[in-house]
mmCIF file with all atom_site columns, all heavy atoms in Angstrom:
data_model
loop_
_atom_site.group_PDB
_atom_site.id
_atom_site.type_symbol
_atom_site.label_atom_id
_atom_site.label_alt_id
_atom_site.label_comp_id
_atom_site.label_asym_id
_atom_site.label_entity_id
_atom_site.label_seq_id
_atom_site.pdbx_PDB_ins_code
_atom_site.Cartn_x
_atom_site.Cartn_y
_atom_site.Cartn_z
_atom_site.occupancy
_atom_site.B_iso_or_equiv
_atom_site.pdbx_formal_charge
_atom_site.auth_seq_id
_atom_site.auth_comp_id
_atom_site.auth_asym_id
_atom_site.auth_atom_id
_atom_site.pdbx_PDB_model_num
ATOM 1   N N   . GLU R 1 183 ? -21.300 8.569  6.767  1.00 98.00 ? 1023 GLU R N   1
ATOM 2   C CA  . GLU R 1 183 ? -22.764 8.494  6.829  1.00 98.00 ? 1023 GLU R CA  1
ATOM 3   C C   . GLU R 1 183 ? -23.280 9.100  8.129  1.00 98.00 ? 1023 GLU R C   1
ATOM 4   O O   . GLU R 1 183 ? -24.273 9.826  8.147  1.00 98.00 ? 1023 GLU R O   1
ATOM 5   C CB  . GLU R 1 183 ? -23.179 7.016  6.795  1.00 98.00 ? 1023 GLU R CB  1
ATOM 6   C CG  . GLU R 1 183 ? -23.989 6.634  5.583  1.00 98.00 ? 1023 GLU R CG  1
ATOM 7   C CD  . GLU R 1 183 ? -24.303 5.140  5.579  1.00 98.00 ? 1023 GLU R CD  1
ATOM 8   O OE1 . GLU R 1 183 ? -25.067 4.666  6.440  1.00 98.00 ? 1023 GLU R OE1 1
ATOM 9   O OE2 . GLU R 1 183 ? -23.740 4.459  4.720  1.00 98.00 ? 1023 GLU R OE2 1
ATOM 10  N N   . ALA R 1 184 ? -22.587 8.776  9.232  1.00 98.00 ? 1024 ALA R N   1
ATOM 11  C CA  . ALA R 1 184 ? -23.006 9.284  10.544 1.00 98.00 ? 1024 ALA R CA  1
ATOM 12  C C   . ALA R 1 184 ? -22.894 10.804 10.589 1.00 98.00 ? 1024 ALA R C   1
ATOM 13  O O   . ALA R 1 184 ? -23.777 11.485 11.131 1.00 98.00 ? 1024 ALA R O   1
ATOM 14  C CB  . ALA R 1 184 ? -22.162 8.642  11.644 1.00 98.00 ? 1024 ALA R CB  1
ATOM 15  N N   . PHE R 1 185 ? -21.830 11.366 10.008 1.00 98.00 ? 1025 PHE R N   1
ATOM 16  C CA  . PHE R 1 185 ? -21.690 12.835 10.018 1.00 98.00 ? 1025 PHE R CA  1
ATOM 17  C C   . PHE R 1 185 ? -22.768 13.495 9.148  1.00 98.00 ? 1025 PHE R C   1
ATOM 18  O O   . PHE R 1 185 ? -23.289 14.553 9.509  1.00 98.00 ? 1025 PHE R O   1
ATOM 19  C CB  . PHE R 1 185 ? -20.278 13.257 9.582  1.00 98.00 ? 1025 PHE R CB  1
ATOM 20  C CG  . PHE R 1 185 ? -19.314 13.284 10.743 1.00 98.00 ? 1025 PHE R CG  1
ATOM 21  C CD1 . PHE R 1 185 ? -18.481 12.203 10.999 1.00 98.00 ? 1025 PHE R CD1 1
ATOM 22  C CD2 . PHE R 1 185 ? -19.261 14.378 11.603 1.00 98.00 ? 1025 PHE R CD2 1
ATOM 23  C CE1 . PHE R 1 185 ? -17.612 12.205 12.084 1.00 98.00 ? 1025 PHE R CE1 1
ATOM 24  C CE2 . PHE R 1 185 ? -18.397 14.394 12.689 1.00 98.00 ? 1025 PHE R CE2 1
ATOM 25  C CZ  . PHE R 1 185 ? -17.570 13.293 12.932 1.00 98.00 ? 1025 PHE R CZ  1
ATOM 26  N N   . VAL R 1 186 ? -23.117 12.870 8.035  1.00 98.00 ? 1026 VAL R N   1
ATOM 27  C CA  . VAL R 1 186 ? -24.151 13.458 7.174  1.00 98.00 ? 1026 VAL R CA  1
ATOM 28  C C   . VAL R 1 186 ? -25.516 13.378 7.881  1.00 98.00 ? 1026 VAL R C   1
ATOM 29  O O   . VAL R 1 186 ? -26.304 14.339 7.855  1.00 98.00 ? 1026 VAL R O   1
ATOM 30  C CB  . VAL R 1 186 ? -24.171 12.766 5.788  1.00 98.00 ? 1026 VAL R CB  1
ATOM 31  C CG1 . VAL R 1 186 ? -25.357 13.250 4.957  1.00 98.00 ? 1026 VAL R CG1 1
ATOM 32  C CG2 . VAL R 1 186 ? -22.859 13.037 5.050  1.00 98.00 ? 1026 VAL R CG2 1
ATOM 33  N N   . LEU R 1 187 ? -25.762 12.257 8.548  1.00 98.00 ? 1027 LEU R N   1
ATOM 34  C CA  . LEU R 1 187 ? -27.019 12.143 9.315  1.00 98.00 ? 1027 LEU R CA  1
ATOM 35  C C   . LEU R 1 187 ? -27.052 13.213 10.408 1.00 98.00 ? 1027 LEU R C   1
ATOM 36  O O   . LEU R 1 187 ? -28.077 13.884 10.614 1.00 98.00 ? 1027 LEU R O   1
ATOM 37  C CB  . LEU R 1 187 ? -27.129 10.729 9.924  1.00 98.00 ? 1027 LEU R CB  1
ATOM 38  C CG  . LEU R 1 187 ? -28.320 10.492 10.857 1.00 98.00 ? 1027 LEU R CG  1
ATOM 39  C CD1 . LEU R 1 187 ? -29.662 10.727 10.145 1.00 98.00 ? 1027 LEU R CD1 1
ATOM 40  C CD2 . LEU R 1 187 ? -28.278 9.065  11.426 1.00 98.00 ? 1027 LEU R CD2 1
ATOM 41  N N   . ALA R 1 188 ? -25.917 13.406 11.103 1.00 98.00 ? 1028 ALA R N   1
ATOM 42  C CA  . ALA R 1 188 ? -25.840 14.429 12.156 1.00 98.00 ? 1028 ALA R CA  1
ATOM 43  C C   . ALA R 1 188 ? -26.186 15.801 11.578 1.00 98.00 ? 1028 ALA R C   1
ATOM 44  O O   . ALA R 1 188 ? -26.952 16.574 12.179 1.00 98.00 ? 1028 ALA R O   1
ATOM 45  C CB  . ALA R 1 188 ? -24.448 14.438 12.777 1.00 98.00 ? 1028 ALA R CB  1
ATOM 46  N N   . GLU R 1 189 ? -25.614 16.103 10.409 1.00 98.00 ? 1029 GLU R N   1
ATOM 47  C CA  . GLU R 1 189 ? -25.891 17.407 9.758  1.00 98.00 ? 1029 GLU R CA  1
ATOM 48  C C   . GLU R 1 189 ? -27.393 17.576 9.555  1.00 98.00 ? 1029 GLU R C   1
ATOM 49  O O   . GLU R 1 189 ? -27.963 18.626 9.843  1.00 98.00 ? 1029 GLU R O   1
ATOM 50  C CB  . GLU R 1 189 ? -25.172 17.486 8.402  1.00 98.00 ? 1029 GLU R CB  1
ATOM 51  C CG  . GLU R 1 189 ? -23.659 17.641 8.520  1.00 98.00 ? 1029 GLU R CG  1
ATOM 52  C CD  . GLU R 1 189 ? -22.926 17.375 7.196  1.00 98.00 ? 1029 GLU R CD  1
ATOM 53  O OE1 . GLU R 1 189 ? -23.594 17.147 6.153  1.00 98.00 ? 1029 GLU R OE1 1
ATOM 54  O OE2 . GLU R 1 189 ? -21.673 17.376 7.216  1.00 98.00 ? 1029 GLU R OE2 1
ATOM 55  N N   . ARG R 1 190 ? -28.039 16.526 9.061  1.00 98.00 ? 1030 ARG R N   1
ATOM 56  C CA  . ARG R 1 190 ? -29.484 16.621 8.760  1.00 98.00 ? 1030 ARG R CA  1
ATOM 57  C C   . ARG R 1 190 ? -30.318 16.721 10.039 1.00 98.00 ? 1030 ARG R C   1
ATOM 58  O O   . ARG R 1 190 ? -31.404 17.294 10.039 1.00 98.00 ? 1030 ARG R O   1
ATOM 59  C CB  . ARG R 1 190 ? -29.962 15.421 7.938  1.00 98.00 ? 1030 ARG R CB  1
ATOM 60  C CG  . ARG R 1 190 ? -29.225 15.210 6.634  1.00 98.00 ? 1030 ARG R CG  1
ATOM 61  C CD  . ARG R 1 190 ? -29.575 16.238 5.545  1.00 98.00 ? 1030 ARG R CD  1
ATOM 62  N NE  . ARG R 1 190 ? -28.434 16.463 4.656  1.00 98.00 ? 1030 ARG R NE  1
ATOM 63  C CZ  . ARG R 1 190 ? -28.197 15.809 3.518  1.00 98.00 ? 1030 ARG R CZ  1
ATOM 64  N NH1 . ARG R 1 190 ? -29.047 14.916 3.092  1.00 98.00 ? 1030 ARG R NH1 1
ATOM 65  N NH2 . ARG R 1 190 ? -27.127 16.069 2.811  1.00 98.00 ? 1030 ARG R NH2 1
ATOM 66  N N   . LEU R 1 191 ? -29.778 16.150 11.141 1.00 98.00 ? 1031 LEU R N   1
ATOM 67  C CA  . LEU R 1 191 ? -30.514 16.181 12.410 1.00 98.00 ? 1031 LEU R CA  1
ATOM 68  C C   . LEU R 1 191 ? -30.241 17.455 13.205 1.00 98.00 ? 1031 LEU R C   1
ATOM 69  O O   . LEU R 1 191 ? -30.844 17.667 14.257 1.00 98.00 ? 1031 LEU R O   1
ATOM 70  C CB  . LEU R 1 191 ? -30.124 14.966 13.263 1.00 98.00 ? 1031 LEU R CB  1
ATOM 71  C CG  . LEU R 1 191 ? -30.541 13.588 12.719 1.00 98.00 ? 1031 LEU R CG  1
ATOM 72  C CD1 . LEU R 1 191 ? -29.948 12.471 13.576 1.00 98.00 ? 1031 LEU R CD1 1
ATOM 73  C CD2 . LEU R 1 191 ? -32.066 13.460 12.666 1.00 98.00 ? 1031 LEU R CD2 1
ATOM 74  N N   . GLY R 1 192 ? -29.288 18.257 12.730 1.00 98.00 ? 1032 GLY R N   1
ATOM 75  C CA  . GLY R 1 192 ? -28.948 19.485 13.455 1.00 98.00 ? 1032 GLY R CA  1
ATOM 76  C C   . GLY R 1 192 ? -27.920 19.265 14.558 1.00 98.00 ? 1032 GLY R C   1
ATOM 77  O O   . GLY R 1 192 ? -27.752 20.119 15.439 1.00 98.00 ? 1032 GLY R O   1
ATOM 78  N N   . LEU R 1 193 ? -27.229 18.118 14.540 1.00 98.00 ? 1033 LEU R N   1
ATOM 79  C CA  . LEU R 1 193 ? -26.174 17.837 15.525 1.00 98.00 ? 1033 LEU R CA  1
ATOM 80  C C   . LEU R 1 193 ? -24.850 18.338 14.951 1.00 98.00 ? 1033 LEU R C   1
ATOM 81  O O   . LEU R 1 193 ? -24.519 18.019 13.806 1.00 98.00 ? 1033 LEU R O   1
ATOM 82  C CB  . LEU R 1 193 ? -26.118 16.307 15.742 1.00 98.00 ? 1033 LEU R CB  1
ATOM 83  C CG  . LEU R 1 193 ? -25.027 15.746 16.634 1.00 98.00 ? 1033 LEU R CG  1
ATOM 84  C CD1 . LEU R 1 193 ? -25.223 16.171 18.092 1.00 98.00 ? 1033 LEU R CD1 1
ATOM 85  C CD2 . LEU R 1 193 ? -25.030 14.202 16.549 1.00 98.00 ? 1033 LEU R CD2 1
ATOM 86  N N   . SER R 1 194 ? -24.072 19.108 15.725 1.00 98.00 ? 1034 SER R N   1
ATOM 87  C CA  . SER R 1 194 ? -22.849 19.684 15.159 1.00 98.00 ? 1034 SER R CA  1
ATOM 88  C C   . SER R 1 194 ? -21.770 18.609 14.978 1.00 98.00 ? 1034 SER R C   1
ATOM 89  O O   . SER R 1 194 ? -21.755 17.597 15.684 1.00 98.00 ? 1034 SER R O   1
ATOM 90  C CB  . SER R 1 194 ? -22.312 20.799 16.063 1.00 98.00 ? 1034 SER R CB  1
ATOM 91  O OG  . SER R 1 194 ? -21.734 20.240 17.225 1.00 98.00 ? 1034 SER R OG  1
ATOM 92  N N   . HIS R 1 195 ? -20.868 18.876 14.015 1.00 98.00 ? 1035 HIS R N   1
ATOM 93  C CA  . HIS R 1 195 ? -19.731 17.968 13.805 1.00 98.00 ? 1035 HIS R CA  1
ATOM 94  C C   . HIS R 1 195 ? -18.981 17.766 15.111 1.00 98.00 ? 1035 HIS R C   1
ATOM 95  O O   . HIS R 1 195 ? -18.602 16.657 15.468 1.00 98.00 ? 1035 HIS R O   1
ATOM 96  C CB  . HIS R 1 195 ? -18.771 18.552 12.759 1.00 98.00 ? 1035 HIS R CB  1
ATOM 97  C CG  . HIS R 1 195 ? -19.313 18.544 11.362 1.00 98.00 ? 1035 HIS R CG  1
ATOM 98  N ND1 . HIS R 1 195 ? -18.733 19.270 10.346 1.00 98.00 ? 1035 HIS R ND1 1
ATOM 99  C CD2 . HIS R 1 195 ? -20.379 17.895 10.798 1.00 98.00 ? 1035 HIS R CD2 1
ATOM 100 C CE1 . HIS R 1 195 ? -19.401 19.065 9.221  1.00 98.00 ? 1035 HIS R CE1 1
ATOM 101 N NE2 . HIS R 1 195 ? -20.413 18.250 9.467  1.00 98.00 ? 1035 HIS R NE2 1
#
Side-chain angles (χ1 to χ4, degrees):
E1023 244 177 68
F1025 273 97
V1026 173
L1027 175 59
E1029 288 166 4
R1030 303 287 150 92
L1031 294 173
L1033 175 67
S1034 73
H1035 289 166

